[in-house]
């Protein structure tokens, strides 16, 4: 198959999956208000909430009264998407919009530190520009990593050590994932009494354990020798390319402060990022506790 045709087909498939996913989400949205009766039957339409009853007006203009004692007390009223937008609280929304960009500033600081460890000098302004470029394309291209590909391409055109610059982009993403797991794990640790939050604790613990174990294995000279990592890298295809990647990653063994600092900066960025989600939820009046945002949104972003 022609390479150009294959590339177009892959892109078409990715866009098809993305469009299908967006349509699926739109179809799952309840655009109209809903009152659920005690028997579990949903009544949809425009809902007027009174002290002792709900008045549900259907699309044909027919109004039906549902007494509160005849509704499902646990989940009796669910506002539709249009009602949520109508009742949005602008203060929370504006604060969230003002806070959200700070996360990308932290991201640029982290990436510049990783570049500096390899003596690659790119100005902070250029790092910030490429970080925003990657963020933009992550919204346009399918998957968050689509933005990383664009960012890596731009970095390769900017830096002298092209291969290393590209590697730092994806290593930067890995550090971000580790920080997400740590953030979620810390919130769970201080809320062990909450069963809902402990649902994902096993997965978070396993992920952190694997990353820590892999890091110790990779950066320990003795373990590399004893467990056969050096031998494995020597027999893999494209040995020269693999050796370059290995050398570039192993360089961070001598920059522990940079790695620790990068994780700390990542935590700050994720706190801002998740905090913006929390403010959006408050603007919509969702009434979800902040702990749920700081546990489940990191998990969703990791996935």
């Amino acid at each position: 198959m022609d390479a150009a045709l294959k590339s177009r087909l892959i892109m078409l498939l990715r866009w098809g999956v993305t469009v299908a996913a967006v349509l699926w989400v739109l179809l799952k949205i309840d655009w109209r208000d809903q009152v659920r009766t005690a028997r579990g039957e949903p009544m949809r339409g425009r809902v007027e909430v009174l002290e002792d009853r709900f008045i549900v007006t259907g699309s044909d203009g027919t109004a039906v009264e549902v007494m509160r004692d005849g509704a499902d007390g646990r989940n009796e009223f669910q506002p539709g998407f249009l009602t949520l937008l109508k009742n949005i609280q602008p203060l929370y929304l504006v604060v969230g919009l003002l806070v959200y960009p700070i996360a990308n500033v932290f991201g640029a600081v982290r990436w510049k530190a990783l570049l500096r460890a390899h003596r690659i000098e790119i100005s902070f302004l250029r790092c910030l520009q490429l970080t925003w470029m990657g963020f933009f394309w992550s919204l346009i291209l399918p998957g968050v990593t689509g933005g990383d590909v664009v960012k890596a391409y731009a970095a390769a055109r900017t830096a002298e050590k092209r291969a290393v610059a590209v590697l730092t982009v994806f290593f930067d993403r890995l550090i971000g994932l580790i920080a997400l797991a740590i953030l979620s794990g810390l919130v769970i640790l201080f809320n062990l009494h909450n069963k809902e939050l402990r649902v994902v604790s096993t997965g978070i613990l396993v992920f952190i354990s694997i990353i820590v174990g892999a890091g110790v294995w990779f950066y320990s000279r003795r373990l590399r020798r004893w467990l056969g990592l050096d031998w494995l890298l020597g027999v893999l295809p494209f040995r020269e390319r693999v050796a370059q990647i290995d050398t570039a990653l192993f360089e961070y063994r001598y920059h522990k402060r940079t790695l620790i600092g990068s994780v700390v900066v990542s935590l700050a960025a994720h706190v801002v990022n998740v905090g913006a989600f929390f403010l959006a939820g408050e603007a919509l009046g969702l009434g979800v506790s902040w702990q749920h945002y700081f546990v489940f949104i990191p998990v969703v972003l990791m996935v």
Side-chain angles (χ1 to χ4, degrees):
M1 182 182 295
D2 180 70
L5 177 60
K6 183 178 179 180
S7 176
R8 292 192 191 98
L9 288 175
I10 292 174
M11 182 60 68
L12 183 62
L13 177 62
R14 295 181 67 183
W15 276 106
V17 171
T18 302
V19 170
V22 171
L23 290 175
W24 182 82
V25 170
L26 291 176
L27 290 173
K28 290 293 181 180
I29 292 176
D30 280 327
W31 298 90
R32 297 177 295 171
D33 301 337
Q34 174 181 290
V35 172
R36 190 173 293 275
T37 66
R39 291 181 295 180
E41 298 174 352
M43 300 184 65
R44 292 183 174 87
R46 182 172 55 84
V47 176
E48 182 181 355
V49 182
L50 302 177
E51 185 175 347
D52 61 340
R53 73 193 70 186
F54 301 98
I55 301 177
V56 184
T57 304
S59 56
D60 59 355
T62 303
V64 178
E65 291 187 356
V66 179
M67 303 304 294
R68 283 188 179 270
D69 56 7
D72 185 349
R74 295 170 302 171
N75 195 23
E76 55 188 11
F77 172 60
Q78 289 291 327
F81 187 72
L82 296 178
T83 299
L84 287 173
L85 290 180
K86 181 181 177 181
N87 298 327
I88 199 167
Q89 300 182 50
L91 178 60
Y92 286 111
L93 182 63
V94 170
V95 174
L97 290 172
L98 292 175
V99 166
Y100 192 76
I102 299 175
N104 277 342
V105 176
F106 282 128
V109 171
R110 179 183 64 203
W111 185 40
K112 181 169 177 57
L114 295 176
L115 288 167
R116 192 186 299 119
H118 284 284
R119 294 171 293 281
I120 298 176
E121 292 300 329
I122 299 178
S123 69
F124 175 74
L125 186 61
R126 181 58 173 166
C127 287
L128 185 61
Q129 181 186 22
L130 295 183
T131 298
W132 273 106
M133 180 189 298
F135 174 73
F136 170 79
W137 284 107
S138 71
L139 299 177
I140 303 299
L141 297 175
V144 178
T145 51
D148 286 341
V149 172
V150 175
K151 181 179 175 181
Y153 174 75
R157 297 184 62 184
T158 300
E160 294 182 4
K161 301 178 181 179
R162 295 185 177 184
V164 177
V166 170
L167 180 66
T168 61
V169 173
F170 296 100
F171 190 62
D172 179 65
R173 171 66 64 184
L174 177 61
I175 290 177
L177 288 173
I178 295 170
L180 280 170
I182 293 173
L183 177 61
S184 182
L186 286 174
V187 176
I188 293 172
L189 182 63
F190 288 100
N191 292 272
L192 291 175
H193 60 279
N194 192 320
K195 293 182 180 180
E196 292 182 347
L197 301 184
R198 294 206 308 267
V199 169
V200 296
S201 59
T202 301
I204 293 295
L205 181 60
V206 169
F207 178 81
I208 293 176
S209 300
I210 291 174
I211 291 297
V212 171
V216 171
W217 179 31
F218 185 84
Y219 287 110
S220 170
R221 294 183 185 278
R222 289 182 179 179
L223 288 179
R224 286 169 67 99
R225 240 183 1 259
W226 292 348
L227 299 178
L229 179 59
D230 289 335
W231 171 83
L232 177 63
L233 295 177
V235 299
L236 287 175
F238 310 104
R239 284 190 295 274
E240 292 183 2
R241 290 281 180 86
V242 172
Q244 290 177 359
I245 295 172
D246 176 54
T247 301
L249 287 176
F250 197 77
E251 179 68 24
Y252 288 111
R253 183 179 189 271
Y254 309 106
H255 299 274
K256 296 181 179 66
R257 289 186 179 180
T258 297
L259 291 180
I260 295 172
S262 297
V263 173
V264 172
V265 171
S266 293
L267 285 171
H270 294 322
V271 167
V272 172
N273 192 9
V274 178
F277 279 99
F278 169 72
L279 290 169
E282 291 296 293
L284 293 170
L286 298 183
V288 179
S289 67
W290 68 268
Q291 292 95 332
H292 283 74
Y293 285 95
F294 279 87
V295 169
F296 293 111
I297 286 184
V299 172
V300 170
L301 293 175
M302 288 169 63
V303 173

